[in-house]
Amino acid sequence: MSRVIFACDSENYISRQTEYRGPRGQEYYQGDYQILPGAEIGVRIEKGLECAFPIFNLRTSSELRFRRSWTHIRRDRTDLTIIWFVKRGRVAISNHSGRRLIESGECTITRSLQPFLIENLVDDESFHEALHVVVPSHILRSYIPDVVDSGAAFSFRQGDCHVAERVISTLFKEGDLTDRHASEELLRASFGALGHSMSIHAKHPHTLAEKRLNDILDCTQRHLSNPDLTAASVASKCGISMRYLSAILKSHDACFSELLWTSRIERSKAWLKSDTMQDVPIRKIADMAGFKSSAHFCRKFKRVTNMSPGDFRESSVSPSHRAGNLLTADTAARTVLTGTDEITPAE
């Protein structure tokens, strides 16, 4: 039997939208939750299974946005992965890989230690429904490897993903009538089915050098907000030598300094253009992007863009610059390494 953990309507949605984590504030993880105004507003989140991997069902007649930033990540350090099954409407996920749309009949994942923006979009009948499972990442990693990108879409209309969705939907409705241990074993089997299907379609590096390059890029993105990040620390975290790291980057006509500062500038540009971050002070954006001071940030930024951060923000804000349509830091970093665009070298 499911229970309601959050519900609101047009009368109280503005005052209640901060209560999305349930009555005790213990569901999900921290972030900025926004219920967008519309002709009809109604949001309902139900929890259908009390176990190590709780299952939730979201129904809404109004569009929603949820943003998890580096600030939230540093604040709670919660390491969870959510598996989403979109039943009605669509889901848009914006992260380091860009903006992706997950259609009705598709599933995806989001990871709490990676910043992202998720938008729950209604269909032509102004309705959206998504079933989702919250799983500790260290457990799910045994079934769904890191090579499966957050926001990648996979159909659950047939095959392994379909079987997994059917099991999870059934447990949402009838999980309280089954043995808890049996329910968790069924969920683990479903995670295995999802991982098998997702891994087949995920893009795997073809060579060891490509894998190491991805390791370097991913590690740099994860620790970009650390102002003391160095090539030596990234090499250590990737389990390779400094010499090997330099050789890999050199084979793509890049160096670590260029990769680091380009990533930081592009991430800053994305935040400055984002409608959802217009109230964040520039000094805070400098800190979030890993710059040691606002003055250092302004010098670097102006050298690359020929504009101050303030002027760049003012010139970028318009309806065409929504949060989900941003050039991201990871995209820029990979652009540097593939040579498909011209980037002004950093110091």
Side-chain angles (χ1 to χ4, degrees), residues 66-94:
F66 177 85
R67 181 176 64 87
R68 183 160 168 87
S69 68
W70 284 112
T71 300
H72 301 120
I73 293 170
R74 286 196 294 267
R75 189 180 298 155
D76 67 13
R77 305 301 297 176
T78 303
D79 191 7
L80 297 173
T81 298
I82 295 185
I83 306 170
W84 296 85
F85 297 91
V86 183
K87 302 291 192 74
R88 292 274 301 272
R90 297 185 297 173
V91 164
I93 296 177
S94 304

Side-chain angles (χ1 to χ4, degrees), residues 147-261:
V147 72
V148 176
D149 194 14
S150 297
F154 305 90
S155 173
F156 64 82
R157 297 198 180 279
Q158 60 184 6
D160 291 337
C161 289
H162 174 72
V163 173
E165 184 274 328
R166 289 289 81 206
V167 170
I168 293 170
S169 291
T170 301
L171 287 174
F172 171 78
K173 296 176 182 177
E174 303 183 29
D176 289 342
L177 303 178
T178 63
D179 175 74
R180 177 172 177 148
H181 176 73
S183 295
E184 291 187 1
E185 287 303 309
L186 286 169
L187 282 171
R188 288 177 184 272
S190 298
F191 302 156
L194 287 168
H196 177 261
S197 180
M198 291 178 175
S199 297
I200 291 174
H201 297 95
K203 295 180 179 179
H204 293 265
H206 295 295
T207 66
L208 179 59
E210 288 177 344
K211 182 182 184 305
R212 293 305 187 198
L213 173 61
N214 284 340
D215 289 344
I216 293 167
L217 293 173
D218 292 341
C219 183
T220 303
Q221 296 304 314
R222 283 196 300 270
H223 299 280
L224 203 60
S225 59
N226 179 1
D228 297 319
L229 187 66
T230 63
S233 64
V234 170
S236 177
K237 293 176 188 298
C238 294
I240 59 177
S241 68
M242 264 285 294
R243 177 183 237 174
Y244 189 28
L245 180 145
S246 298
I248 291 173
L249 295 179
K250 186 176 181 180
S251 69
H252 290 81
D253 296 322
C255 65
F256 183 77
S257 175
E258 181 181 7
L259 169 66
L260 179 63
W261 293 113

Side-chain angles (χ1 to χ4, degrees), residues 58-60 86 88-91 120-122 126-130:
L58 163 68
R59 295 173 182 235
T60 177
V86 183
R88 292 274 301 272
R90 297 185 297 173
V91 164
N120 300 93
L121 309 174
V122 299
S126 297
F127 192 78
H128 174 89
E129 181 177 5

